[in-house]
Amino acid sequence: MNWYPWLNHAYRQLVESHQQGRGHHAILLHAHEGTGAKALLYGLSRWLMCQNKQGMKSCGECHGCHLMLAGTHSDWHVLAPEKGKHIIGVDAVRHISERLYEYSQQGGAKIVWIPSAESLTDAASNALLKTLEEPPKSTYFLLQCQHPANLLATMRSRCFYYFLPAPETSIGLYWLQNKLPNVTSSDALTALKLSQGAPLAAEQLLQTEKWQQRNSLCQAITQGLRKCDTLSLLPLLNRDDAPQFLFWLISLLSDAVKWRQQARDYCVNQDQQALIQHLAFSQSVETLLSTVDDWVLCRHQLLSVVGINRELLLTEHLLKWEKQLCSIQSPL
C-alpha cells in the first residue's frame, strides 16, 4: 500500500502513544475522503502486528509482517459491508466478536478495521459496544469515518477520537503536480480546493471523466449566461449524479460572491476566473447569495427526499435563476 508524506506526523503520534503505554484500544479516525486514512491505519496495523518492531517501524521480515504484506493475517479482520450492500448488519458484528474471544492464531495482537463506521446499523453498533468497552487482551479496533456525528454517541465515547487533517495546500499541490506533471497549476489547485484539500481525491478527480464533465458544465453555464437561457443546463444536470454537478455550480456561485467582495484569492475555481467574473456581475450580491441558498436547498432535497421528481425540481430552480438573470442588464 502506498505511503504519503503528510501522514508521518499522525503516524508518529499514534505509535508513540502505544510506546509510552497510553495507546487506546479503539481509535476513531475522522478524515475526509482522499487524505490517506486507509494507509495510515494499515501502517499502524502493521506496527501493532509486527513481532520484531524496529522503534517506530515494523521490521518487514517477521512472520506477522509477511502475513500483513500478503493480506492473509488471520488476526487482522476487516469489517465492511458485503458486496452489493451499503450497511454492516448485526450478524457480521457478532461473528467478528466471537472470533476475537478465541486465542490469537499468531500469538500476538488482534485487530478489527472498520473502513466506514457510518455503515454500521444501530443494532450493529449496539452489538459492538460491549466488546469496545471490555475488549479481549491485545485487541484493537480501528474505526474510520467521515461524519462522526452520524455515529451513536455511546460508540464515540468508547473510542479515542483522532482527526486527520488534509495537508497544507503547498504540500498537497507539490505532491499532486509530481504525480500529474502534465496538469496545469490552476487545474491542480482547483481540484485540490474542490476536494477539501485531500490530494488523493484531487488526483482521482483530475484523472477521471468527472473533470471533463465539470469543464462541460462551466462551458454550458457560460453559454447560458450569454443567452440568458439557464434552462439549457437541464440535460446536463438531470442525471443520477446531479448532486455532484450542483456542488460544482454552488462553488462557482460562491466564488462569484467572493469576487464581488474583493476576496479573489479565496476562490475555489482558480481555473475559471472569466466565468466567475461573469457570474459576479450578472446579479447583485444579495441576489447571488439568494441564488446560492436556492441551489443548496435543491441539492439537499435531491439527497434527502426519497422519490422526488428530479427533473421537475431542477426545472423550477433553473427557471427561477433565469428569471433573476433576465431581469438585470449585465454590464458584460
Side-chain angles (χ1 to χ4, degrees), residues 12-27 44 47-48 140 142:
R12 282 196 300 269
Q13 282 189 320
L14 293 173
V15 169
E16 281 178 355
S17 67
H18 284 281
Q19 289 177 324
Q20 297 167 4
R22 299 181 291 102
H24 203 282
H25 69 276
I27 295 175
L44 178 60
W47 186 84
L48 290 169
Y140 300 94
L142 305 178

Side-chain angles (χ1 to χ4, degrees), residues 20-285:
Q20 297 167 4
R22 299 181 291 102
H24 203 282
H25 69 276
I27 295 175
L28 177 61
L29 182 67
H30 175 199
H32 296 306
E33 183 179 357
T35 53
K38 181 178 180 181
L40 175 62
L41 292 182
Y42 176 74
L44 178 60
S45 296
R46 281 196 52 189
W47 186 84
L48 290 169
M49 289 296 197
C50 181
Q51 298 161 348
N52 186 28
K53 297 177 178 64
Q54 306 294 311
M56 299 194 69
K57 296 182 179 180
S58 50
C59 70
E61 300 295 335
C62 68
H63 187 52
C65 283
H66 285 160
L67 290 175
M68 285 296 292
L69 288 169
T72 57
H73 203 300
S74 54
D75 294 320
W76 191 58
H77 309 284
V78 180
L79 187 57
E82 296 179 5
K83 188 176 181 180
K85 295 184 178 180
H86 302 288
I87 60 171
I88 302 172
V90 65
D91 290 339
V93 171
R94 288 172 178 164
H95 176 69
I96 288 287
S97 297
E98 289 172 2
R99 295 188 63 183
L100 292 177
Y101 283 98
E102 300 172 357
Y103 286 107
S104 168
Q105 296 187 36
Q106 301 301 324
K110 291 173 284 187
I111 296 177
V112 177
W113 174 46
I114 308 179
S116 177
E118 295 100 329
S119 299
L120 290 162
T121 63
D122 285 352
S125 297
N126 284 317
L128 190 62
L129 289 178
K130 184 177 181 181
T131 312
L132 278 175
E133 189 168 5
E134 299 178 1
K137 184 179 179 180
S138 299
T139 299
Y140 300 94
F141 293 88
L142 305 178
L143 290 76
Q144 185 178 332
C145 72
Q146 294 186 44
H147 307 287
N150 293 340
L151 305 180
L152 293 181
T154 46
M155 174 175 286
R156 297 198 305 269
S157 67
R158 286 165 172 77
C159 299
F160 172 71
Y161 172 84
Y162 189 93
F163 177 65
L164 176 65
E168 293 182 7
T169 300
S170 58
I171 296 174
L173 192 58
Y174 179 79
W175 180 87
L176 197 57
Q177 289 179 313
N178 280 333
K179 291 289 291 185
L180 304 173
N182 294 326
V183 172
T184 65
S185 58
S186 62
D187 281 2
L189 182 58
T190 298
L192 199 61
K193 287 176 175 287
L194 286 170
S195 304
Q196 296 180 294
L200 303 182
E203 180 193 15
Q204 184 179 20
L205 176 59
L206 287 165
Q207 287 185 304
T208 62
E209 63 176 336
K210 290 288 185 184
W211 192 249
Q212 182 56 50
Q213 290 172 347
R214 173 186 167 275
N215 288 338
S216 297
L217 175 65
C218 291
Q219 293 171 7
I221 294 173
T222 300
Q223 293 298 320
L225 289 174
R226 288 174 179 170
K227 299 177 180 179
C228 199
D229 179 21
T230 56
L231 189 59
S232 61
L233 299 176
L234 182 60
L236 199 59
L237 297 178
N238 188 25
R239 45 190 296 149
D240 291 340
D241 57 350
Q244 174 67 76
F245 281 70
L246 294 186
F247 171 75
W248 293 331
L249 172 58
I250 292 166
S251 73
L252 288 163
L253 288 165
S254 299
D255 281 350
V257 176
K258 298 171 191 173
W259 190 284
R260 289 290 293 268
Q261 298 297 329
Q262 306 300 316
R264 300 175 188 179
D265 291 342
Y266 295 94
C267 288
V268 170
N269 301 274
Q270 293 291 325
D271 63 332
Q272 296 290 335
Q273 295 197 25
L275 173 55
I276 293 170
Q277 184 180 14
H278 196 165
L279 282 167
F281 293 99
S282 65
Q283 299 171 264
S284 66
V285 174

Side-chain angles (χ1 to χ4, degrees), residues 288-329:
L288 277 170
L289 289 169
S290 175
T291 303
V292 169
D293 288 342
D294 286 342
W295 284 115
V296 168
L297 174 61
C298 178
R299 185 172 184 271
H300 175 71
Q301 290 173 318
L302 288 176
L303 288 169
S304 60
V305 181
V306 178
I308 194 167
N309 188 322
R310 184 178 64 217
E311 183 175 4
L312 184 61
L313 180 66
L314 290 169
T315 299
E316 177 186 353
H317 282 271
L318 286 169
L319 286 173
K320 181 178 180 180
W321 188 22
E322 184 174 301
K323 183 178 179 181
Q324 291 172 335
L325 289 170
C326 294
S327 65
I328 301 172
Q329 182 65 38

